[in-house]
Amino acid sequence: MSERAAKLIFWVGTLSSLALFLGLTWDTHRSFAALTHADKLDANVVAGKHVFENHNCNDCHTILGFGGYYAPDLTRAYKRLGEDAVRLRLASPEKAFASSYRKMPQQHLTPVEIDRLVDFLRWVGGIDNHDWPPQDSDTRWKASTRRLVGGAAMSPGAALVSQEACLACHALGNAGEHRGPRLEYVATRRDADWIARYLADPQALTPGSTMPKFDHLSEGQRQAIAEFVASLAEGRTP
Amino acid sequence: MNFKSQRVAYPYFVVALLLFALQLVMGLYLAFNYFYTVPQAVVDVFPFSTARAMHTNLLVLWLLLGFMGATYYAIPEETQSELAWPKVAWAQLVLLTGTGVAALVGFLFGWTQGRPLLEIPTTLDVLVVVGALMFLANVGVTILRARRFTATQGTLLAGLVFLAVMYLFGMPFYENLAIDWYYWWWVIHLWVEGAWELVTAALMAFMMIQLTGVDRKIVEKWLYVELGLFLFTGLAGTGHHYYWIAAPRYWLWVGGAFSALEPLPIAFMLIDTWRSMKDSKRPQPRLTWVYVIGMAVLHFVGAGLFGFAHTLPQINYYTHGSQVTVSHGHLAFFGAYALLNLSFFYFAIPRLKGFADGRYDERGGHWGFWLTSSAVVGMSLAMAVAGVLQTYLERVQGQPYIVAQSPMRFWMLIVFLHGLLVLAGALLIIKHLLTLRPAPARSGA
Ligand code: HEM
Ligand code: HEM
Ligand SMILES: [Fe+2]
């Protein structure tokens, strides 16, 4: 190969890739507004991003899959846990994770800082990033619930969940709210007995929980709800 | 060593080596946190996040100081002239080391910009920029005054300017998280798969010319091809980090296709280095080649193979942001840039000390190389096992994060144990380099 040919490879290779990269960068900027719902990105969200950075959360937690891998990804934390549960974990991690083998520091966040972090996480939770991460994938939740709810629609547990308006606070499939954890997510880490005890007295198992007691129901009704919720986990036999 | 001002490279190497040792201590603390339950009281004071900022910033600082020292060694040889301002080079070292120490102490007290790998607060960023400008001016003026231009030093300077300019994209506050990460990767990816590869290619070409006596024209011709391939694949290849950040879908195609080609120039560099060694007309200490070839091989394995393994979007969807990433990050950084620096130190220090033909007493040095390198490979493999477990349990099965981490803890203990060996090997290397002696007179023959 001649030196001329070598130089040609250098210039053509570099400039073609650079042109493509800069062109797509320009186009990507035009798309960000829609994909990230920039209309919802208000001053509170920005303030929340500042709090997030000031406390170096990102060197333990990934967000969008980037950062430290030591703690759960926060991209969909808002949707997975719900607003009240996020608040509790930010305000008193030493209690929330008291029995866990891995701790989160008590950072003495002010109530305002917690509000802004919640705003930030709510906004991030809504962005359109091709449904990553897979464990929080909306499509996957919906598919598994459709299957189960279809089969279990007549089950006493399902009826009680609807009667007791759990979905005023919890998400399930397409429906519900994000104050407490998504019920399918609850099912991935709790068994029916635990859930039944939790329904009787949430505070006993999660100090600081804002979920109301369901002690007006009978033990059998609570067990029925618990078995329905536990059955929502993918791959677990009801 | 032919020029007096080259001597300023040595203190750069010494500081770099000491920071390397400190980096490893922090790495051990990180791995410890993974398999052992550190009590809340300790987590409140010295959390994982602080140690991680220190581990990664120490890494970047020592590698960059090593590159700068290497440049101050190489430029006088390439231009056949003294450095323009040796005293400024000293001041720059003091400034950058001071800034680094201030950043590390600041992290302990929560003074941080809070973005992974770019935690240095903006105030200190300004000092880093001042240091970088002092450096580039010094090198640039030396080249201009000497009026002797070579492709090798052109590449080196281009790589360094590219590196410095990219740093600027990491400094502002971005309101939109997606745009923030878009430009974060202009720093991180365009460094390790762009600018730093240029610096590597230039320093390797420089060492090959000096070590082997192979014709400069041939080395520099292949240098153009290598650079062309690096930049062709690496620039658009940045897209392999844009799959899941809320960017348009075409990045899955562009990032996947271009980055899948990234191993090619690295393989090319390996073959090129191997051929230069075979064609070498000058005998060299065995350890010098052990390092240079070791670097070319582990660069290819860590960056090329481990990088390729998770670069296609179909795979990256499941492995993204898991211990698989950490495994690749360690083997790539060590194989490519830690070993490049150590290779250069072994090349330059004997010459700086004026040993005849750059020959030195190799005893002890081989242990350091093999212990450190095999321990890093073992550590990366243990991380890879943890990563595959995580990918399967958390990403495929859908177990919650903290549940899926539980069986990974055993493998993080294995990581820690390998880390102890990495530290032991690195201490051997550091001691050997800092107390290098001339080669013993040859007995018999
Ligand atoms: C004593 C040996 C070492 C141990 C035990 C160790 C351990 C660790 C751990 C546990 C992490 C945190 C990963 C996470 O966020 O979960 C980490 C991060 C990192 N370490 Fe090390 N490390 C060691 C040596 C090194 C060396 C020699 C290098 C480079 C030459 C290096 C480069 C990095 C990088 C680049 C990261 C950030 C990784 C990423 O963001 O994916 N480490 N290390
Ligand atoms: C010497 C060169 C390289 C170094 C030092 C390096 C280092 C790293 C590091 C530290 C990360 C983690 C960054 C973070 O998220 O904190 C990373 C991510 C990544 N690297 Fe490399 N890399 C190199 C070359 C390559 C090559 C050649 C490829 C592809 C063929 C590649 C593919 C990837 C991919 C796909 C990721 C993203 C992983 C994820 O999604 O979490 N890397 N690299
Ligand atoms: Fe990359």
Side-chain angles (χ1 to χ4, degrees):
Chain A
M1 187 188 291
S2 68
E3 193 177 310
R4 245 183 80 86
K7 283 188 179 163
L8 193 70
I9 291 185
F10 171 75
W11 284 112
V12 172
T14 305
L15 294 180
S16 60
S17 192
L18 182 66
L20 176 67
F21 185 55
L22 292 180
L24 293 183
T25 295
W26 180 73
D27 185 74
T28 300
H29 268 282
R30 295 191 316 166
S31 314
F32 270 139
L35 290 167
T36 64
H37 304 296
D39 50 321
K40 300 207 179 102
L41 206 172
D42 58 17
N44 285 343
V45 174
V46 174
K49 186 165 183 283
H50 274 296
V51 179
F52 187 71
E53 291 178 1
N54 290 342
H55 291 278
N56 209 17
C57 313
N58 212 174
D59 260 324
C60 281
H61 289 276
T62 48
I63 192 158
L64 298 180
F66 307 123
Y69 311 104
Y70 185 68
D73 187 83
L74 294 181
T75 314
R76 301 278 188 258
Y78 180 88
K79 288 179 121 181
R80 171 172 75 229
L81 288 179
E83 178 157 342
D84 289 13
V86 168
R87 280 178 193 282
L88 178 66
R89 279 147 190 79
L90 292 178
S92 29
E94 75 285 3
K95 290 197 200 111
F97 305 122
S99 60
S100 176
Y101 60 82
R102 199 171 286 174
K103 310 292 178 197
M104 162 156 153
Q106 166 52 271
Q107 311 196 65
H108 306 288
L109 301 167
T110 64
V112 178
E113 282 181 314
I114 293 179
D115 285 345
R116 295 297 85 81
L117 279 170
V118 169
D119 293 332
F120 173 65
L121 292 175
R122 184 192 301 114
W123 169 77
V124 177
I127 65 170
D128 180 3
N129 66 340
H130 312 320
D131 210 20
W132 192 90
Q135 69 272 21
D136 293 326
S137 154
D138 273 339
T139 1
R140 178 157 152 180
W141 292 135
K142 282 169 195 163
S144 67
T145 343
R146 221 179 301 121
R147 227 177 31 244
L148 265 149
V149 178
M154 292 300 113
S155 88
L160 281 163
V161 163
S162 131
Q163 176 197 313
E164 298 296 321
C166 309
L167 301 200
C169 297
H170 292 276
L172 175 62
N174 288 336
E177 297 296 325
H178 291 291
R179 282 191 58 192
R182 177 173 268 287
L183 288 182
E184 296 95 328
Y185 173 68
V186 172
T188 59
R189 56 176 188 165
R190 308 290 191 198
D191 58 26
D193 286 348
W194 189 93
I195 297 173
R197 276 188 289 135
Y198 189 86
L199 290 172
D201 186 5
Q203 289 285 341
L205 294 175
T206 306
S209 169
T210 51
M211 156 136 158
K213 281 183 185 179
F214 284 85
D215 50 2
H216 57 278
L217 299 176
S218 74
E219 207 165 304
Q221 286 173 312
R222 287 197 295 266
Q223 192 65 30
I225 296 180
E227 268 158 26
F228 169 73
V229 172
S231 74
L232 293 168
E234 211 180 344
R236 194 188 281 191
T237 37
Chain B
M1 183 186 77
N2 300 312
F3 299 91
K4 229 177 74 199
S5 55
Q6 282 177 298
R7 213 166 288 171
V8 72
Y10 190 69
Y12 275 83
F13 298 163
V14 174
V15 175
L17 286 170
L18 298 178
L19 297 177
F20 178 33
L22 194 56
Q23 183 219 337
L24 297 180
V25 175
M26 288 299 147
L28 285 171
Y29 181 72
L30 295 178
F32 184 75
N33 270 261
Y34 261 99
F35 70 82
Y36 183 84
T37 300
V38 178
Q40 186 77 36
V42 178
V43 172
D44 287 345
V45 181
F46 186 52
F48 180 92
S49 44
T50 304
R52 191 180 194 271
M54 296 172 91
H55 180 61
T56 50
N57 280 268
L58 279 162
L59 168 72
V60 174
L61 185 61
W62 87 259
L63 292 180
L64 288 179
L65 288 177
F67 286 161
M68 290 173 173
T71 306
Y72 281 140
Y73 180 89
I75 287 296
E77 298 271 359
E78 283 291 299
T79 57
Q80 292 294 313
S81 72
E82 293 288 352
L83 278 181
W85 309 304
K87 287 217 175 76
V88 173
W90 267 101
Q92 178 210 330
L93 175 62
V94 173
L95 173 73
L96 289 178
T97 311
T99 309
V101 172
L104 295 172
V105 176
F107 293 159
L108 285 176
F109 296 96
W111 190 33
T112 170
Q113 209 190 332
R115 293 155 72 222
L117 308 194
L118 304 180
E119 291 92 345
I120 298 185
T122 318
T123 325
L124 295 180
D125 275 340
V126 174
L127 295 179
V128 174
V129 171
V130 172
L133 288 176
M134 287 161 81
F135 172 67
L136 293 176
N138 209 347
V139 174
V141 169
T142 309
I143 294 177
L144 283 178
R145 278 197 194 157
R147 305 224 143 270
R148 188 173 178 275
F149 303 102
T150 67
T152 303
Q153 73 184 12
T155 308
L156 186 55
L157 188 61
L160 294 166
V161 171
F162 184 10
L163 192 167
V165 171
M166 287 304 124
Y167 189 76
L168 302 177
F169 286 93
M171 286 171 54
F173 173 81
Y174 296 91
E175 295 194 342
N176 189 322
L177 186 74
I179 298 179
D180 191 344
W181 287 104
Y182 193 88
Y183 288 107
W184 189 87
W185 285 108
W186 282 37
V187 189
I188 305 305
H189 170 98
L190 289 178
W191 268 8
V192 299
E193 290 153 74
W196 294 26
E197 291 285 14
L198 300 200
V199 173
T200 305
L203 291 177
M204 286 293 277
F206 173 76
M207 283 196 282
M208 286 305 122
I209 292 167
Q210 304 259 333
L211 282 172
T212 63
V214 172
D215 187 9
R216 176 184 282 272
K217 272 205 135 28
I218 300 182
V219 174
E220 293 189 340
K221 183 179 75 187
W222 292 119
L223 183 59
Y224 281 115
V225 179
E226 208 170 277
L227 298 181
L229 286 176
F230 267 126
L231 291 171
F232 178 70
T233 59
L235 290 173
T238 315
H240 65 176
H241 304 294
Y242 296 160
Y243 300 155
W244 325 116
I245 67 165
R249 198 167 265 284
Y250 50 67
W251 284 113
L252 273 64
W253 291 93
V254 175
F258 279 82
S259 70
L261 298 174
E262 282 186 43
L264 285 181
I266 308 176
F268 189 93
M269 186 186 269
L270 170 59
I271 295 165
D272 203 29
T273 311
W274 184 263
R275 209 177 38 204
S276 301
M277 180 179 74
K278 291 289 154 200
D279 293 349
S280 175
K281 303 182 181 94
R282 298 176 190 158
Q284 294 296 342
R286 213 182 133 66
L287 187 58
T288 304
W289 284 118
V290 167
Y291 266 97
V292 169
I293 298 295
M295 173 263 177
V297 170
L298 288 185
H299 187 171
F300 179 69
V301 176
L305 297 184
F306 276 45
F308 182 81
H310 61 156
T311 204
L312 297 177
Q314 294 85 342
I315 294 171
N316 192 262
Y317 184 65
Y318 295 101
T319 59
H320 176 52
S322 70
Q323 286 295 321
V324 171
T325 311
V326 183
S327 165
H328 155 69
H330 279 84
L331 202 52
F333 254 113
F334 178 80
Y337 302 124
L339 283 182
L340 171 72
N341 266 302
L342 295 175
S343 302
F344 202 94
F345 298 172
Y346 270 105
F347 165 80
I349 291 178
R351 288 170 172 77
L352 284 167
K353 292 198 169 176
F355 299 169
D357 298 333
R359 303 189 72 84
Y360 51 89
D361 184 357
E362 299 176 36
R363 280 174 300 173
H366 286 274
W367 274 102
F369 173 86
W370 288 106
L371 182 58
T372 312
S373 300
S374 39
V376 170
V377 171
M379 184 173 90
S380 303
L381 288 176
M383 287 165 168
V385 175
V388 171
L389 269 175
Q390 181 177 13
T391 299
Y392 181 70
L393 298 177
E394 185 189 8
R395 307 313 176 59
V396 178
Q397 282 207 331
Q399 293 187 9
Y401 174 93
I402 204 74
V403 177
Q405 288 281 314
S406 176
M408 294 164 60
R409 297 174 88 200
F410 169 76
W411 293 98
M412 297 311 284
L413 167 65
I414 304 293
V415 166
F416 177 81
L417 296 177
H418 280 87
L420 290 174
L421 297 179
V422 175
L423 179 63
L427 291 176
L428 280 180
I429 296 174
I430 294 169
K431 172 164 177 291
H432 188 241
L433 271 170
L434 294 183
T435 59
L436 216 54
R437 283 184 303 268
R442 275 198 225 161
S443 54

